Amino acid sequence: MTDRTNWHDAPASVGDAISAIDTPALVIDLDAFEHNLRTVHSRVKDAKVALRAHGKAHKCPDIARIQVAAGAQGVCCQKASEAQVFVEAGITDVLITNEIVGVSKAERVARLARQARIGLCVDAPFHVAQIAHAARTAGSTVEIYIEIDVGQSRCGVHTIDQALELARLIAAEAPSLRFMGLHAYHGASQHIRDPAERSATVLASVDTVRTYIDALAAAGYACAVVTGGGTGTYDLVAASAVYTEVQPGSYVLMDRDYALNHLAPGEAELRQALYGLCTVISVSPTHAVLDGGLKTFAVDSGLPRMVLDGWTVKSISDEHTVITPSGDAPDLQVGDKVRLVPGHCDPTVNLHDWLIALRGQIVENVWPVSARGALF
């Protein structure tokens, strides 16, 4: 475990009651966590595709090891420094689902590829040349995925000609580079509320992916792996008969935003597992104040939601969250602890050094968020 001292000490120890946890803290309901793990992994396995858990959600090697033990092919991450954290923790199959730019980053990836199976996305000749040079120098082989834009309007090639050019460049750099296939991720589709609209968006993406696979195959470049999808679409992507791998990340944690999605008939319901735990530090006749604020909860997807019925988050600032009662809301006293559901789990986790895993009301594990701040 990483050596941490002073204010970085863990907010709890194994065996503590939830009442003893120092706050603000992030806690995980292990029963919900394990339900989500079993549910998603079994459905993906039944679809006969691989699952690659996205580590950017939790940034925690302990969770990654649990996911791999439960059948995950390996993990995804978004940054070279994130990949290093997972590899050094013993994860031997890591896909960086992103483009990287910078000599030091490419050299880091190439060095990691001497220790583990490392994949990387490209969408421009610059990316291919940069990582090829680094891999030649390091004496390693990096697996390369061409990223295609399937409607996200973010990274990715936009034409088949661009994909064919990249495939030729990758092939010319063997054995330093190995062409693996396509990365085709539509992030916005994860949060489409209506299941019919969500399904239609995924099917349109699948049609796009199929045209790239066929064109590359006709030119002699077989796509062994087609990877994408996420927590909101993993089942649709797994059933596509086009994707060979799905990459859900938030599924083991969940958040307020994902809870807004409506489920299609037969779609598995995932449980909220991640909570912010805060302490009431002030009470007045009109409101109460908690000890966690913007440095505890990311609010890009909205304010956190109180779990305690009758209490609502009114406002949030750097170090405080103000909550207000309604109706027959139970009284709160200074010193009481309350749970809140984060709006967006990924950036919320990145604000914390520790995840406290609870079985009921007792701390069962304390996991360091080892890749917190691994942004380069």
Side-chain angles (χ1 to χ4, degrees):
M1 183 180 292
T2 303
D3 179 32
R4 296 166 187 262
T5 56
N6 299 328
W7 60 86
H8 289 112
D9 285 349
S13 298
V14 172
D16 281 350
I18 190 171
S19 59
I21 298 174
D22 205 3
T23 62
L26 284 186
V27 299
I28 292 177
D29 177 337
L30 282 172
D31 291 333
F33 172 94
E34 291 167 358
H35 164 81
N36 296 349
L37 189 77
R38 288 191 303 269
T39 298
V40 174
H41 285 233
S42 65
R43 290 174 75 95
V44 172
K45 182 179 180 181
D46 289 346
K48 296 181 170 54
V49 300
L51 185 146
R52 181 180 292 279
H54 217 309
K56 78 178 181 69
H58 52 71
K59 288 178 167 280
C60 175
D62 290 278
I63 293 179
R65 284 190 285 263
I66 291 170
Q67 292 170 314
V68 171
Q73 165 79 25
V75 302
C76 303
C77 63
Q78 283 283 288
K79 304 289 184 173
S81 52
E82 260 184 347
Q84 182 168 341
V85 171
F86 286 115
V87 170
E88 290 181 348
I91 304 300
T92 59
D93 192 335
V94 179
L95 170 60
I96 303 172
T97 53
N98 201 359
E99 290 72 25
I100 64 167
V101 174
V103 172
S104 63
K105 295 182 180 68
E107 290 175 346
R108 185 195 296 257
V109 170
R111 289 194 301 270
L112 290 174
R114 294 199 301 242
Q115 307 171 52
R117 183 180 181 185
I118 302 293
L120 182 65
C121 294
V122 302
D123 73 2
F126 179 94
H127 302 135
V128 177
Q130 178 182 251
I131 192 61
H133 180 268
R136 282 195 305 273
T137 302
S140 62
T141 299
V142 178
E143 297 182 347
I144 303 297
Y145 294 74
I146 297 173
E147 181 160 17
I148 62 175
D149 186 349
V150 290
Q152 174 74 2
S153 296
R154 197 166 61 186
C155 298
V157 300
H158 300 91
T159 70
I160 287 172
D161 285 344
Q162 288 176 310
L164 290 172
E165 178 190 10
L166 291 176
R168 287 191 291 269
L169 293 173
I170 295 164
E173 295 291 351
S176 299
L177 305 183
R178 180 182 299 125
F179 174 62
M180 293 300 296
L182 300 176
H183 180 247
Y185 177 73
H186 195 309
S189 66
Q190 313 305 316
H191 309 283
I192 296 174
R193 307 309 179 196
D194 178 69
E197 184 182 351
R198 193 162 61 243
S199 177
T201 301
V202 170
L203 290 175
S205 296
V206 168
D207 287 342
T208 299
V209 174
R210 190 179 288 111
T211 62
Y212 278 85
I213 294 172
D214 292 345
L216 286 162
Y221 305 108
C223 295
V225 180
V226 178
T227 183
T231 296
T233 60
Y234 75 91
D235 51 349
L236 296 168
V237 169
S240 69
V242 169
Y243 284 78
T244 66
E245 183 178 271
V246 295
Q247 40 181 258
S250 300
Y251 73 108
V252 289
L253 303 178
M254 300 303 286
D255 54 36
R256 185 178 185 179
D257 188 82
Y258 267 118
L260 297 175
N261 282 4
H262 301 296
L263 300 181
E267 188 175 353
E269 183 173 1
L270 301 180
R271 300 176 186 170
Q272 183 61 41
L274 181 73
Y275 297 92
L277 184 70
C278 292
T279 299
V280 177
I281 60 172
S282 180
V283 175
S284 80
T286 59
H287 64 272
V289 183
L290 310 180
D291 63 350
L294 292 170
K295 297 175 185 177
T296 300
F297 299 100
V299 296
D300 57 298
S301 294
L303 297 175
R305 176 180 60 81
M306 285 287 292
V307 172
L308 186 63
D309 288 340
W311 286 90
T312 303
V313 173
K314 176 186 178 183
S315 63
I316 189 167
S317 54
D318 285 359
E319 311 291 355
H320 305 89
T321 293
V322 177
I323 59 175
T324 55
S326 62
D328 56 354
D331 290 339
L332 287 175
Q333 306 296 325
V334 171
D336 286 346
K337 285 185 167 60
V338 296
R339 290 184 300 155
L340 299 90
V341 178
H344 188 181
C345 58
D346 299 32
T348 295
V349 169
N350 194 53
L351 295 171
H352 293 260
D353 287 315
W354 304 95
L355 294 169
I356 311 303
L358 297 171
R359 185 75 64 186
Q361 298 293 305
I362 302 299
V363 176
E364 186 169 299
N365 274 300
V366 179
W367 295 326
V369 185
S370 301
R372 178 193 178 188
L375 306 177
F376 45 89

